[in-house]
Amino acid sequence: MSTDKTGNEAAMTPLFIVGVPRSGTTLVRSLMLSLDNAYLPPDEFQLVPHVVNGTHSPSQFLDLVTTSNFADHMRRRKIWPTDGTLKRVSTSASGPLAFKALVCEIAKLDRATELKYWGDKTPENIFHLEQIFKTWPDAKIIHVLRDPRSTVLSMKKSWGRSIIRGSVIWRDAIRTMRHHKSDLNSNQIYEIRYESLTQKPEEEMRALADWLGLSFDESRLLDFQTEERWSGMDNVGIQQRGTDWESDTLKKDVTSIERVCFDEMKIANYLPRYATDVRRPGASALTFAKLGDAWRVLNVYAKERGWPRAITYKVRQWRASKPR
């Protein structure tokens, strides 16, 4: 880890990978291993809305991170700091500084050195960009964009998420990103399309490296393995799934997605195939969809982890999404 004259980590730029869930953020984070001097932990922190509010005492921050799903993932990977290190990290002057110090300690354990960038890959941070830019004015954002039809159908396949709610999440994320790209932060946002990335990974990663001012080692793509675990596909190599929604059996679902996302699809240059107008879901329909999603997603996690662990995991995730 590079240091300045005071012995502290030298100036590093915060870097966040964001996007709609199932849009390819995990793929981008995995491919960033081909870039030197940037480190984002291999699992989602999920706690940015909490650490940026600046109201945590050291003990509160320590309790927040050590009881999180993120901590469990890092322990499983054997890259979680010792209790002594965590106590030292928690005494940083603020929550944001403690978060940075925590990522840097994890980077050391994961053998990442000489960092120019540190950060997090939590897709839902796309809805917290205002807080991120307010906390870290120099932050850089990598926005991963994927066709809503592929994205929403992937949510349904992986977690049982409803078409309506998945479509609304994609639509609202595009609206949020459009707002930030139109303001003073636009030069700090880099957009990468999933379809182009899977078709031309070397070209796309070289362009990303140039934007970040980092070197790119294309040889690391030869034995690439993604950490994606919900797709049901082989994790070796970069697999193209650009038009996996094109099937007559999916026409009804695709039409529903296009109606909800109609305007935003055209703005993002994804042309609707079936829909000819916008259809906005009502509040009651969204409420029922959200309740149904909660039950279906919990069932998916229960099959993987068992009911007690699934409930604990989802409760922690829900709390992480609610700033204290």
Side-chain angles (χ1 to χ4, degrees):
M1 189 81 65
S2 58
T3 58
D4 60 22
K5 294 180 180 179
T6 66
N8 297 317
E9 287 89 358
M12 294 183 286
T13 301
L15 177 65
F16 297 87
I17 299 176
V18 304
V20 180
R22 307 300 307 152
S23 64
T25 55
T26 296
L27 175 62
V28 173
R29 190 270 165 194
S30 298
L31 285 170
M32 284 192 66
L33 295 176
S34 64
L35 308 182
D36 291 326
N37 310 119
Y39 185 79
L40 284 72
D43 287 280
E44 299 167 8
F45 185 59
Q46 298 182 343
L47 296 170
V48 165
H50 294 275
V51 301
V52 299
N53 67 22
T55 60
H56 295 96
S57 68
S59 62
Q60 288 173 325
F61 179 88
L62 188 62
D63 178 67
L64 176 70
V65 298
T66 56
T67 61
S68 67
N69 291 329
F70 176 72
D72 285 349
H73 291 312
M74 296 299 99
R75 292 185 186 106
R76 173 174 54 83
R77 295 176 183 274
K78 302 186 185 305
I79 53 174
W80 188 239
T82 64
D83 290 346
T85 298
L86 289 170
K87 288 181 180 179
R88 175 171 55 80
V89 163
S90 69
T91 60
S92 297
S94 66
L97 287 176
F99 172 40
K100 174 184 177 181
L102 176 61
V103 172
C104 289
E105 291 297 336
I106 293 171
K108 292 177 185 177
L109 294 172
D110 210 10
R111 301 179 182 178
T113 59
E114 300 298 323
L115 300 184
K116 295 180 181 178
Y117 293 94
W118 68 276
D120 174 45
K121 192 286 291 185
T122 298
E124 290 83 357
N125 281 341
I126 194 170
F127 296 110
H128 303 296
L129 292 181
E130 186 170 346
Q131 292 171 288
I132 287 173
F133 282 126
K134 183 177 180 181
T135 305
W136 298 284
D138 62 334
K140 290 199 171 186
I141 306 296
I142 300 172
H143 173 219
V144 188
L145 179 62
R146 186 183 185 188
D147 190 309
R149 293 160 290 204
S150 296
T151 306
V152 176
L153 289 170
S154 183
M155 291 186 205
K156 180 180 179 181
K157 179 180 178 181
S158 299
W159 308 315
R161 176 165 282 167
S162 69
I163 293 295
I164 290 177
R165 189 153 174 264
S167 300
V168 168
I169 291 172
W170 190 93
R171 180 200 68 189
D172 291 351
I174 297 303
R175 289 178 176 176
T176 297
M177 185 53 68
R178 186 174 63 197
H179 165 73
H180 286 282
K181 288 177 70 176
S182 67
D183 66 17
L184 298 177
N185 304 119
S186 60
N187 64 333
Q188 295 169 239
I189 299 173
Y190 185 91
E191 187 172 274
I192 187 166
R193 289 181 181 256
Y194 175 89
E195 295 83 9
S196 182
L197 180 62
T198 56
Q199 293 166 11
K200 302 177 293 182
E202 182 179 326
E203 180 180 327
E204 291 293 338
M205 291 308 296
R206 190 177 300 281
L208 176 60
D210 288 345
W211 183 71
L212 291 170
L214 300 177
S215 60
F216 167 58
D217 184 355
E218 62 187 59
S219 67
R220 297 183 190 176
L221 299 184
L222 297 177
D223 57 352
F224 170 79
Q225 292 189 1
T226 181
E227 297 212 348
E228 170 58 49
R229 64 191 183 89
W230 293 108
S231 66
M233 300 178 72
D234 192 346
N235 70 341
V236 178
I238 302 169
Q239 302 174 47
Q240 298 181 22
R241 289 172 279 177
T243 56
D244 46 1
W245 54 268
E246 294 182 334
S247 169
D248 289 340
T249 60
L250 297 173
K251 182 176 179 179
K252 181 179 179 181
D253 285 345
V254 169
T255 302
S256 296
I257 295 167
E258 291 180 350
R259 283 174 172 166
V260 174
C261 303
F262 190 79
D263 290 336
E264 286 70 24
M265 284 183 69
K266 291 192 292 184
I267 291 171
N269 292 318
Y270 291 113
L271 298 181
R273 174 167 295 186
Y274 305 114
T276 58
D277 58 0
V278 179
R279 181 167 297 180
R280 306 185 189 284
S284 59
L286 281 174
T287 298
F288 282 115
K290 187 173 183 178
L291 292 173
D293 283 355
W295 174 248
R296 286 187 292 270
V297 170
L298 188 58
N299 268 280
V300 169
Y301 276 81
K303 289 179 181 178
E304 182 188 44
R305 309 160 187 262
W307 278 102
R309 290 181 61 198
I311 292 172
T312 298
Y313 186 91
K314 294 307 294 182
V315 167
R316 286 177 175 177
Q317 195 174 57
W318 176 78
R319 287 176 176 172
S321 68
K322 307 294 182 183
R324 297 178 183 180

